[in-house]
Amino acid sequence: MPSWPDTPPSPLWQRLSRESFTAPKLTEATRADAVVVGGGITGLSTALSLRERGLSVILLEAVTIGAGASGRANGQVIGTLTRMPPDQIREKIGQPFLDLVAGSADRLFALVERFNIDCDARRSGWLQPAHSAGRAKRAAGLAAGWARAGADTQALSREDVTDLIGAPGYQGGWLHRGGGHINPYAFTLGLARGVAGEGVQIFEHSPALGLQRAGEDWRVTTPEGEVRARYVVLATAAHTGDLWPGLAQSLVPVTSYQTATAPLGALADQILPGDQAFSDTRQDLRYMRKDREGRLVSGAALAVQIGAKFRLPRAVRRRLGELFPALSKAQMPEFWGGRIGMTTDRLPHLHRTDDGLAAFVGCNGRGLGLCCAMGPLLADAVTGLPEEDLALKPQPIRRLPLHFFVKRFARMILPWLRWQDSREVK
Ligand SMILES: Cc1cc2nc3c(=O)[nH]c(=O)nc-3n(C[C@H](O)[C@H](O)[C@H](O)COP(=O)(O)OP(=O)(O)OC[C@H]3O[C@@H](n4cnc5c(N)ncnc54)[C@H](O)[C@@H]3O)c2cc1C
């Protein structure tokens, strides 16, 4: 069964995109120094970095550019990891990786500028409101920790957060001024345009079906062609199939659904008046951002997915209505979903062989900036930079026990997370 997406990317982001990009199908046998599999932000950023090292690069996308999570995300640009705080990243992984994460939003916005990407980029900050007093204390620690890592941050009181959101209900929080939001589909298309302009050959509707050694090279086959290359990078994220045995079984793909209000008119000025992106401290995250026409774009995961198209917008509206009563009857006409690649330690995993194959999985739902920053690292990793010089150490692929069941039932953990959130655990 194909592992790549079988539904179109976000209809909302597609409608709002002023960027467009198309590429041909691979229909011949060809060669390049490097082949990148996957046309999301990771693949494009990696292809760019390999090209900048003077290599000829081919990128294969199974469907169309932005078909995966990159064209479906909420669009929040967040320069942090999902769970691990900065001091622990420094201690457990190292200063170079902390620098990479801390610089990840910079890298995204620098790409926007470099390629003049028309993606409604707003560097208005990323706000993390705290839903409990305990989390407010932790948020103040995060603001200080990320400031030590070089980020422009501010710890926020309850009153500050009320002003920034335009509603009471949170106990404090923190602001990362380097964050913001984009139309992620438009960003991905614009990045493809830029990367192609630098000489990367991109092919759409060209799924990599096979990966074998062929002498000194790798041979990647597609339905109508093949590429021989010295280096191969798999950038297939939650859509990883069986090209590299065990890789798909090392992560858990989780479906996240998105929805949005209709344009809110004057009300939009009162909600998030500073236009920040918002993700709170709950484990069953509440998040939102505005689009350029004044819709509030939000989302959630569901433990039971039956009827998601009808149930999810209602559930999100209920949550929005708790914060902004004026939205409790709002129409939620938009709906789409996408797959997030989760790792059990909530950390990104880098893998490589010593014969020119590398992969990165595990953005854990916070990947727009991170995937931009992983490009140069993947290029270093696949071309053989010694391990001690890599910001993130490659690790062996570890298949999760009972992966078949874990994959199907991972979302059943949601009620447990909600219970923890309500008890302020951790
Ligand atoms: C609903 C949702 C909301 C999110 N919101 C945010 C957010 O607000 N902020 C944030 O930072 N992150 C967010 N994320 C996470 C973020 O979108 C991802 O981390 C990031 O886009 C992953 O990019 P990627 O290039 O690694 O993977 P993808 O964009 O998924 O790209 C992988 C590509 O590989 C292709 N592919 C798979 N198999 C093959 C094959 N055999 N041959 C060729 N191509 C293949 C797929 O078609 C796909 O296009 C969200 C994710 C989802 C799903």
Side-chain angles (χ1 to χ4, degrees), residues 237-302:
H239 296 284
T240 295
D242 54 7
L243 290 174
W244 188 344
L247 186 61
Q249 290 75 28
S250 72
L251 79 155
V252 184
V254 172
T255 301
S256 169
Y257 295 106
Q258 302 289 293
T259 183
T261 64
L264 293 173
L267 183 58
D269 298 335
Q270 294 162 35
I271 296 176
L272 293 168
D275 204 13
Q276 286 86 15
F278 163 122
S279 313
D280 78 7
T281 48
R282 287 179 172 88
Q283 300 192 75
D284 180 23
L285 199 63
R286 299 188 179 193
Y287 56 94
M288 66 188 93
R289 44 75 51 99
K290 290 190 285 193
D291 74 8
R292 71 156 188 268
E293 294 181 347
R295 293 174 188 83
L296 205 53
V297 188
S298 183
L302 288 175

Side-chain angles (χ1 to χ4, degrees), residues 101-260:
V101 176
S104 58
D106 293 343
R107 162 119 174 129
L108 185 151
F109 286 112
L111 289 167
V112 170
E113 209 165 304
R114 172 172 170 186
F115 296 124
N116 205 7
I117 301 177
D118 195 352
C119 62
D120 300 320
R122 293 276 289 130
R123 202 164 194 182
S124 43
W126 175 71
L127 170 66
Q128 189 172 40
H131 73 281
S132 70
R135 299 290 172 102
K137 226 183 265 170
R138 189 156 180 258
L142 284 172
W146 283 107
R148 280 194 296 280
D152 182 4
T153 67
Q154 185 188 339
L156 301 169
S157 67
R158 185 190 302 204
E159 293 70 29
D160 294 334
V161 173
T162 301
D163 290 347
L164 283 170
I165 298 175
Y170 282 94
Q171 308 300 317
W174 70 289
L175 179 68
H176 188 315
R177 288 200 187 81
H181 55 82
I182 55 173
N183 172 335
Y185 178 74
F187 172 75
T188 310
L189 261 48
L191 185 57
R193 171 179 55 71
V195 166
E198 295 296 312
V200 172
Q201 276 184 280
I202 300 180
F203 294 96
E204 293 181 313
H205 305 291
S206 304
L209 300 178
L211 173 66
Q212 293 103 21
R213 286 302 284 171
E216 292 291 287
D217 286 338
W218 289 97
R219 179 165 166 260
V220 183
T221 47
T222 67
E224 294 176 41
E226 68 169 55
V227 189
R228 282 178 185 245
R230 183 159 171 215
Y231 305 118
V232 178
V233 174
L234 300 187
T236 46
H239 296 284
T240 295
D242 54 7
L243 290 174
W244 188 344
L247 186 61
Q249 290 75 28
S250 72
L251 79 155
V252 184
V254 172
T255 301
S256 169
Y257 295 106
Q258 302 289 293
T259 183

Side-chain angles (χ1 to χ4, degrees), residues 27-51:
T27 53
E28 59 179 4
T30 182
R31 60 160 301 120
D33 295 323
V35 57
V36 175
V37 180
I41 297 171
T42 304
L44 291 163
S45 173
T46 307
L48 177 64
S49 294
L50 288 165
R51 186 75 195 110

Side-chain angles (χ1 to χ4, degrees), residues 3-5 37-42 60-63 68-70 72-76 207-208 235-237 239 243 256 258 338-340 363 365-368 371:
S3 55
W4 44 90
V37 180
I41 297 171
T42 304
L60 299 173
E61 164 53 46
V63 193
S70 302
R72 299 162 189 264
N74 188 258
Q76 306 205 9
T236 46
H239 296 284
L243 290 174
S256 169
Q258 302 289 293
R339 267 202 246 163
I340 293 176
C363 68
R366 204 162 277 188
L368 299 179
C371 294

